[in-house]
Amino acid sequence: MNIPDIIIAVDGYSSTGKSSLAKKIARKFGFLYLDSGALYRGVTLFAQEERLISRLGRIDPALEKALEGLDLHFGSDGRLFMGARCIEQQIRSMEVSSQVSPVAAAPFVRAWVDGKLRLFGSRGRIVMDGRDIGTAVFPQAQLKIFMTASEEVRARRRYEEMKAKGESPLLEDVVKNLRERDYIDSHRDTNPLRRADDAFELDNSEMSFEEELAWVQGLVQGKFGIL
Ligand code: CDP
């Protein structure tokens, strides 16, 4: 398919498979994939290491100034780096997952991340996944997908993913974390998680990766008249 230089936004709830689908779309269309959640996770790890967030999730206002000196960037293989250190594994830990949503609710954190995301997106041909890509970061995105799946399917996926990485989480902790994050993400004041009016909704609870990708290709063909 000869795809125009568009931005594709993939938003949705935790563990709905946004990143898996977005990566597949990127590979298929030759686009760049960008994981906005990784940046929120990177800021959270930074806040934890600098002791700028308490155990209860209270953010020290000094984090805003500290972010000026923070270097978060993606390596060529898509892994996240803090300076010279690859932090890809650490940012996926339960410790980071348990504090990322309060951190991501802080308006100054969102402004910092948004600045980076918009720079990446300025040249088009990207697929970005997150919570507010189609509503706030790139409201002009030419194709928006909003993903959902049943809570049971989502928890099971995240649980298996963590086990495959050698972690041993409790399924109930995984469920609790998904619920908490979805609640905070949908109820925060600044750019909460919601479906953009012009987004196409995809419930992939019972779909295979091949079916999902075929669904997206169908959308692109229909929307841009490409055969
Ligand atoms: O992969 P998963 O669905 O668990 O989450 P993620 O995409 O890694 O995002 C982690 C967290 O970052 C979310 O729960 C949100 O609190 C925050 N986030 C956000 O607020 N806005 C985005 N565009 C992306 C992530």
Side-chain angles (χ1 to χ4, degrees):
M1 272 202 270
N2 201 3
I3 309 289
D5 293 353
I6 58 170
I7 295 176
I8 302 179
V10 181
D11 288 305
Y13 295 98
S14 304
S15 301
T16 41
K18 299 180 296 293
S19 66
S20 305
L21 179 63
K23 277 181 201 158
K24 286 204 173 56
I25 297 174
R27 207 171 307 134
K28 183 84 192 166
F29 296 171
F31 279 21
L32 179 69
Y33 162 65
L34 277 167
D35 175 357
S36 67
L39 293 177
Y40 287 104
R41 288 173 179 275
V43 170
T44 305
L45 179 67
F46 174 70
Q48 290 173 335
E49 290 183 342
E50 298 295 314
R51 303 199 182 287
L52 293 173
I53 183 166
S54 73
R55 284 211 155 270
L56 293 174
R58 209 191 68 80
I59 297 164
D60 188 324
L63 177 62
E64 182 166 7
K65 184 91 185 123
L67 285 182
E68 286 173 18
L70 175 61
D71 166 22
L72 285 185
H73 60 271
F74 292 100
S76 53
D77 55 2
R79 291 183 307 163
L80 191 69
F81 282 75
M82 188 188 288
R85 176 162 68 111
C86 177
I87 54 169
E88 189 58 35
Q89 206 179 339
Q90 266 177 299
I91 61 168
R92 310 287 163 193
S93 68
M94 206 46 141
E95 208 175 332
V96 168
S97 294
S98 68
Q99 292 202 309
V100 63
S101 286
V103 170
F108 71 83
V109 171
R110 302 205 72 76
W112 189 87
V113 171
D114 284 358
K116 289 203 174 298
L117 298 178
R118 294 206 177 101
L119 273 182
F120 289 130
S122 53
R123 62 188 191 98
R125 296 188 76 79
I126 60 160
V127 190
M128 193 177 285
D129 76 334
R131 302 292 187 287
D132 61 343
I133 308 305
T135 52
V137 181
F138 295 124
Q140 78 280 24
Q142 293 87 343
L143 183 65
K144 301 179 186 177
I145 298 169
F146 188 80
M147 294 184 69
T148 63
S150 73
E151 184 181 273
E152 200 186 327
V153 166
R154 296 192 287 128
R156 179 62 59 184
R157 281 181 190 152
R158 180 52 49 105
Y159 176 75
E160 297 298 344
E161 199 177 279
M162 293 180 80
K163 276 212 324 197
K165 284 185 192 154
E167 291 184 48
S168 33
L170 290 175
L171 185 59
E172 63 193 73
D173 288 344
V174 175
V175 173
K176 188 167 162 272
N177 178 251
L178 294 188
R179 281 191 191 147
E180 275 173 8
R181 282 199 288 135
D182 286 346
Y183 183 85
I184 300 173
D185 294 346
S186 325
H187 290 83
R188 66 181 174 229
D189 290 335
T190 312
N191 301 337
L193 165 65
R194 67 170 183 85
R195 175 184 177 281
D197 295 336
D198 52 350
F200 294 91
E201 189 162 330
L202 173 67
D203 180 337
N204 69 356
S205 305
E206 314 222 330
M207 273 172 120
S208 67
F209 284 140
E210 291 71 27
E211 286 169 332
E212 273 186 347
L213 194 57
W215 182 87
V216 174
Q217 279 183 278
L219 271 186
V220 171
Q221 284 169 344
K223 210 167 152 67
F224 302 101
I226 305 155
L227 291 174

